[in-house]
Amino acid sequence: MNNYRVSFYKDLCNSDGHSFKCLQRQIEVQSVGPSQALVLAERLVDNERLNADCVEVMHLAGHDEFEHPACYTPAPGKHAWNRVA
């Protein structure tokens, strides 16, 4: 089992009209892979209520590893962002 941090983001506009992603909810789960981590996190978080535009799954590394982010878009037509670790 691996540890993953799943973050739910909403795309918002600031006062200048520039979009930015705003963290709505973050949860850590254990699973065998990132896809299963996403499914588990969506069950634990009411994503329908959040209506997240982007869901980021990040592998939480051990002492000798790097973190590996992956970004998933929950619905077609929504934006996806890649985060630099």
Side-chain angles (χ1 to χ4, degrees):
M1 290 288 225
N2 295 303
N3 293 322
Y4 292 90
R5 179 177 299 130
V6 183
S7 304
F8 295 84
Y9 293 95
K10 184 71 179 169
D11 186 21
L12 300 175
C13 288
N14 64 14
S15 60
D16 295 330
H18 295 94
S19 65
F20 67 98
K21 68 178 188 176
C22 179
L23 179 64
Q24 292 182 298
R25 184 80 192 269
Q26 196 169 59
I27 187 170
E28 291 186 10
V29 295
Q30 284 188 334
S31 72
V32 294
S35 297
Q36 184 185 19
L38 176 62
V39 171
L40 179 59
E42 285 181 333
R43 286 183 191 156
L44 295 172
V45 172
D46 185 8
N47 190 31
E48 290 296 319
R49 187 176 65 92
L50 290 178
N51 194 25
D53 293 319
C54 177
V55 178
E56 180 183 86
V57 177
M58 181 175 290
H59 178 252
L60 298 178
H63 295 293
D64 298 330
E65 300 179 42
F66 294 104
E67 293 181 343
H68 304 286
C71 189
Y72 300 93
T73 331
K78 301 273 183 162
H79 296 93
W81 296 273
N82 289 320
R83 185 174 136 194
V84 178

